[in-house]
């Protein structure tokens, strides 16, 4: 791979004391070592902040920042501002990644000269059920911008989640996650795709996404679900303005948002 670039791993942390150690250990044990890990304690009221401080003692690649609660987007944006790496990746603090996650994604990006590399992921429920999502295992797909946008509209092999992806840092020069907005990935990821002529997708599951009963995704909060519809409307409008022939996929995505 030649000279190993610095990778910034941004981890927003808020009241996840039950899961945080597993998340941190999965990052600490990466096969790729030239990383900085930014633990952004977003005003936790449990022991999450203390866990972050304990991990950072004697481990120079971990950096801890304690800030007033501002939500997931605000914590991610804070991390972007503090990052020093040539590449960025996001890990939610109740999830965990495979040992070779960063090495795998970086290899994909470099060998295909892509600014975004996406891996497959495994969704798992606290009941024990697990589901794989991605292209064929061990496959590598180099998609055009349009092809990648079509896949996120169809939500088949590639999705909108900020995690399980590696980004060239310059993609965030003018893009940030919207604050005080739920389902922020729906309002952001497609804009990053707009800046790329291609996106590489690997079929290896490198990210383990935990579904919790009290998460934003599973909660019945009406106003948060309305935000999903508004974000999806804007995304579909922006994509079809650039690619009118993706309108059918966009309509399907919007119908899905309403049913959700």
């Amino acid at each position: 791979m030649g000279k190993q670039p610095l990778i910034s791993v941004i981890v927003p942390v808020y009241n996840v004391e039950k899961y945080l150690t597993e998340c941190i250990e999965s990052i600490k044990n990466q096969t790729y070592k030239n990383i900085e890990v930014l633990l952004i304690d977003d005003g936790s009221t449990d022991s999450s902040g203390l866990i972050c401080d304990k991990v950072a003692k004697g481990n120079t690649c971990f950096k801890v920042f304690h800030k007033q609660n501002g939500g997931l987007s605000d914590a991610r944006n804070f991390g972007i501002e503090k990052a020093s790496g040539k590449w960025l990746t996001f890990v939610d603090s109740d999830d965990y990644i495979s040992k070779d996650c960063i090495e795998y994604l970086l290899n994909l990006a470099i060998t295909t000269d892509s600014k975004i590399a996406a891996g497959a992921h495994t969704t798992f429920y606290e009941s024990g059920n697990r589901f794989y999502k991605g292209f064929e295992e061990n496959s590598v797909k180099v998609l055009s911008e349009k092809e990648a946008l079509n896949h996120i509209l169809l939500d088949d092999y590639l999705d909108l989640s900020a995690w399980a992806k590696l980004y060239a840092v310059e993609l965030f020069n003018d893009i940030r996650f919207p604050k005080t907005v739920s389902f922020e990935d729906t309002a952001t990821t497609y804009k990053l795709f707009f800046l790329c002529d291609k996106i590489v997708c690997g079929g290896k599951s490198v990210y383990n996404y935990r579904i919790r009963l009290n998460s934003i995704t599973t909660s019945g909060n009406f106003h948060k679900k309305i935000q999903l519809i508004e974000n999806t409307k804007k995304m579909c409008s922006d994509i079809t303005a650039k690619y009118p022939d993706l309108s059918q996929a966009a309509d399907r995505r919007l119908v899905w948002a309403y049913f959700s």
Side-chain angles (χ1 to χ4, degrees):
M1 189 185 295
K3 186 177 179 181
Q4 294 189 328
L6 179 66
I7 311 293
S8 297
V9 184
I10 298 172
V11 186
V13 176
Y14 180 70
N15 288 357
V16 285
E17 60 184 5
K18 182 179 177 181
Y19 312 106
L20 183 55
T21 299
E22 182 178 29
C23 174
I24 289 173
E25 287 298 314
S26 75
I27 300 170
K28 187 188 296 185
N29 294 326
Q30 287 297 294
T31 55
Y32 189 86
K33 299 303 182 185
N34 193 21
I35 63 175
E36 62 169 8
V37 186
L38 287 72
L39 301 174
I40 315 300
D41 173 26
D42 191 38
S44 296
T45 56
D46 65 0
S47 64
S48 296
L50 295 175
I51 294 171
C52 291
D53 290 336
K54 183 177 180 180
V55 168
K57 285 184 179 179
N59 197 328
T60 57
C61 73
F62 280 82
K63 302 175 182 179
V64 180
F65 301 90
H66 300 282
K67 59 181 287 297
Q68 185 176 357
N69 179 255
L72 177 59
S73 289
D74 192 53
R76 283 179 178 167
N77 292 340
F78 187 95
I80 292 168
E81 297 292 337
K82 298 295 183 180
S84 304
K86 290 186 64 176
W87 298 84
L88 299 177
T89 191
F90 301 96
V91 180
D92 285 355
S93 50
D94 52 352
D95 301 332
Y96 64 95
I97 57 178
S98 67
K99 290 179 67 173
D100 61 346
C101 175
I102 294 173
E103 182 177 13
Y104 176 76
L105 293 177
L106 183 61
N107 272 323
L108 287 178
I110 290 177
T111 56
T112 62
D113 192 28
S114 302
K115 291 185 178 181
I116 296 179
H121 71 270
T122 299
T123 298
F124 69 101
Y125 294 78
E126 294 183 322
S127 63
N129 292 329
R130 302 178 70 88
F131 302 94
Y132 168 90
K133 184 172 184 179
F135 290 97
E136 297 86 357
E137 292 195 53
N138 301 317
S139 68
V140 175
K141 307 282 188 182
V142 180
L143 307 176
S144 68
E145 174 202 339
K146 182 180 177 181
E147 289 172 330
L149 291 169
N150 186 55
H151 280 299
I152 62 174
L153 288 174
L154 296 177
D155 194 32
D156 48 13
Y157 305 107
L158 180 63
D159 66 21
L160 284 162
S161 301
W163 39 256
K165 298 175 179 69
L166 184 71
Y167 309 87
V169 68
E170 62 265 24
L171 295 176
F172 288 93
N173 284 346
D174 299 308
I175 292 179
R176 292 293 185 271
F177 294 93
K179 297 180 182 179
T180 67
V181 169
S182 300
F183 301 97
E184 62 290 320
D185 296 350
T186 308
T188 308
T189 302
Y190 77 93
K191 295 178 182 177
L192 297 169
F193 282 22
F194 276 175
L195 301 178
C196 303
D197 60 349
K198 58 187 172 184
I199 290 93
V200 60
C201 302
K204 180 181 177 64
S205 180
V206 295
Y207 194 96
N208 294 279
Y209 170 52
R210 186 190 311 270
I211 297 290
R212 292 189 287 147
L213 292 178
N214 60 343
S215 69
I216 292 174
T217 304
T218 58
S219 71
N221 187 298
F222 176 78
H223 295 291
K224 289 180 179 179
K225 291 295 186 181
I226 288 294
Q227 188 66 64
L228 171 62
I229 293 172
E230 295 304 315
N231 291 353
T232 305
K233 282 182 180 178
K234 181 66 166 62
M235 175 184 69
C236 291
S237 175
D238 288 350
I239 291 176
T240 54
K242 189 171 186 179
Y243 297 110
D245 54 334
L246 294 184
S247 59
Q248 186 173 358
D251 289 344
R252 174 177 166 174
R253 181 73 185 206
L254 188 55
V255 168
W256 172 86
Y258 276 104
F259 273 108
S260 177

